[in-house]
Amino acid sequence: YAEVHAVLEQRCLLCHGAQVQQKNVALHTPELLKQHAQAVYQQASVLKLMPLNNATQITDAERDLIKRWYEAGAAVQ
C-alpha cells in the first residue's frame, strides 16, 4: 500500500485530493481510496485514461503497481 500511496500522491491527488475532487472522486484518505479502488484500477491500469492526457506522466510500471495492488485485494494498510 505504501508504494501505491506514493504513486497516488504524485500522480493522482492533484485532481483527486482534499482540495479538488474531479468527478467527485477523492483519494486522499485510505477510506476514500478503498471506496474508489475499482475506479482507480479501471481508469489508471485497464483503460489507461487517467491521468487525463497523462498530465502527471504516470509510468507503465506505476500503472502495473496499481493493477497488482487492486488484484491482490486493494489493501489500504
Side-chain angles (χ1 to χ4, degrees):
Y1 167 70
E3 291 178 54
V4 169
H5 181 71
V7 170
L8 293 175
E9 281 189 333
Q10 186 175 11
R11 309 296 188 193
C12 307
L13 293 186
L14 181 66
C15 294
H16 301 289
Q19 304 302 319
V20 177
Q21 294 95 36
Q22 295 287 325
K23 302 218 180 220
N24 293 320
V25 175
L27 306 172
H28 59 282
T29 69
E31 295 78 18
L32 289 167
L33 177 57
K34 189 70 173 174
Q35 178 183 336
H36 296 290
Q38 184 176 12
V40 171
Y41 167 72
Q42 286 286 351
Q43 295 295 316
S45 296
V46 177
L47 301 173
K48 298 183 179 180
L49 295 175
M50 289 289 124
L52 190 60
N53 297 320
N54 201 14
T56 60
Q57 305 298 305
I58 192 170
T59 67
D60 287 338
E62 290 167 334
R63 291 182 191 280
D64 188 55
L65 174 67
I66 292 169
K67 179 179 186 278
R68 291 191 321 262
W69 165 78
Y70 179 79
E71 291 175 350
V76 293
Q77 299 281 351

